[in-house]
Amino acid sequence: MLCNCVLLCTELHTRPGSTNSRSPLSADGVLMMAQTLHLAMASVSVSSRLNKAIHQHYMSLPQGDLCQVTYIWIDGSGEGLRNKTRTLDREPQGIEDIPEWNFDGSSTYQAEGSNSDMYLVPVAMFRDPFTLESNKLVLCEVLKYNRLPAESNLRSGCKKVMEEVKHYIPWFGMEQEYTLLGMDGRPYGWPQNGFPGPQGPYYCGVGADNAYGRDIMECHYKACLYSGVKICGTNAEVMPSQFEFQVGLCEGIEMGDHLWMARFLLHRVCEDFGVVATLDPKPMKGNWNGAGCHTNVSTKEMREEGGLQHIEQAIEKLSKRHAQHICVYDPHGGQDNIRRLTGLHETSSIHDFCFGVANRGASIRIPRQVAQEGKGYFEDRRPSANCDPYAVTCAIASTCLLGMEEEEEST
């Protein structure tokens, strides 16, 4: 690969008629340029360098009334997503038109090979921004051979809780942070043998020296809008190569459905660009921000006049169950978040619970506008970037709303 880069660079700088033909680079200059080009190519995947014009030819072929439906599910890791596609005779008009399917759970950390068939039960349908036409993306729950929820299927339990609290009309909005990595495992665009300048100019930054990978952020945003995902915003984050998108407002179980689909779209867009999106809550050690999934919460009572007292009551309940929430705010019982929730870099300490107005170093933040108006919502800043949104919203609803009903019954 490096030899090819050297030949290419030599040709570019000695080609007759080129602006550089009268003063070609030195041998050292050609080698340095070749090494830079080689490193740049090494940071993106091999598949991303395939001929996209050929790909587009086939993607533009008509398919008549037939419809491609891509089934998407969470694998046994509780973090990874899997997908496979089938053909339906016609475009489904609703989720009830999409049949159940199955897959080999022994290849997704979800079953033993001797009893590996798992059920895919469609639960939410979206438009497909990759194959277009009438094609669909379908989020699925996973059931075991006995039709009980798989261990990684946290949606099933979350749905039951959301049904119990639906009269509160709970709204959620989640802020998904992520970091772009090259195939070499380094944050995309970072120097190969060093680091970019310190944090400061990158948050909501503009310019090639501040925004690393804006194309991916923008393409993902458009893909979500096309699909019907309730994405409401996006921005570059504090650490270079780190971004955030926001999904919401979503009511009840819809929050987890839309965030998981937004994550799938992110990974697929990154696949096209040849880079990796990681949700690791602390991808780089040292004086660099981690990645969270701040969760904004409100109920009908919180949004009405005098709602601040209901917000404060919910925060009081959360304070009594801090340890339990930390255990479900990342997929590994708090072991991921312990690297992020240090009390530094706009986080609270994982060991303590605190709240405050406009305080981004607190466990729970009450936005300043909410404090001034006396109603609105609160932000739980503890969930990690790789959290399961079903687990997070279920825990918050259970603590703040089911706990409230239990107390009312006891009195």
Side-chain angles (χ1 to χ4, degrees), residues 2-227:
L2 184 56
C3 292
N4 292 337
C5 291
V6 171
L7 290 174
L8 175 60
C9 292
T10 303
E11 179 185 356
L12 288 174
H13 285 272
T14 59
R15 184 180 296 160
S18 72
T19 56
N20 296 308
S21 60
R22 289 174 294 176
S23 55
L25 289 176
S26 66
D28 288 343
V30 170
L31 181 60
M32 183 177 296
M33 184 176 180
Q35 289 173 333
T36 301
L37 181 59
H38 172 66
L39 290 173
M41 294 179 69
S43 68
V44 298
S45 70
V46 175
S47 295
S48 69
R49 300 199 292 271
L50 293 173
N51 191 320
K52 299 303 180 183
I54 295 175
H55 177 263
Q56 184 55 39
H57 166 72
Y58 292 101
M59 296 303 292
S60 62
L61 294 176
Q63 61 187 57
D65 294 332
L66 299 176
C67 179
Q68 292 176 287
V69 176
T70 298
Y71 289 60
I72 300 160
W73 70 97
I74 304 164
D75 69 18
S77 70
E79 300 179 70
L81 287 162
R82 307 294 179 109
N83 69 104
K84 64 176 187 173
T85 305
R86 73 187 299 178
T87 304
L88 297 185
D89 292 336
R90 61 185 63 84
E91 178 183 0
Q93 299 305 304
I95 199 68
E96 64 279 356
D97 295 331
I98 302 174
E100 290 187 11
W101 206 8
N102 58 72
F103 69 97
D104 171 17
S106 68
S107 299
T108 60
Y109 319 119
Q110 289 170 296
E112 298 293 334
S114 59
N115 190 15
S116 63
D117 282 359
M118 310 283 284
Y119 294 102
L120 290 173
V121 181
V123 294
M125 184 174 72
F126 300 83
R127 294 202 296 171
D128 189 338
F130 306 107
T131 60
L132 305 179
E133 297 210 21
S134 60
N135 301 320
K136 307 298 182 185
L137 302 176
V138 179
L139 187 69
C140 300
E141 280 195 31
V142 176
L143 303 182
K144 297 187 289 188
Y145 70 93
N146 55 7
R147 298 195 66 84
L148 293 176
E151 284 71 15
S152 57
N153 178 3
L154 302 185
R155 185 184 189 276
S156 178
C158 181
K159 185 178 180 181
K160 292 177 181 177
V161 169
M162 293 305 172
E163 281 295 316
E164 290 186 63
V165 302
K166 65 181 180 181
H167 54 286
Y168 289 103
I169 314 179
W171 288 357
F172 299 96
M174 299 185 80
E175 306 169 20
Q176 177 68 70
E177 294 178 333
Y178 63 94
T179 306
L180 298 178
L181 303 179
M183 295 302 293
D184 55 4
R186 293 276 293 172
Y188 183 75
W190 284 34
Q192 186 67 22
N193 297 309
F195 297 90
Q199 296 182 156
Y202 309 109
Y203 173 70
C204 298
V206 64
D209 54 342
N210 293 326
Y212 300 6
R214 184 187 297 276
D215 285 356
I216 293 171
M217 177 184 75
E218 292 181 340
C219 290
H220 173 251
Y221 199 164
K222 293 287 280 188
C224 286
L225 291 173
Y226 178 89
S227 295

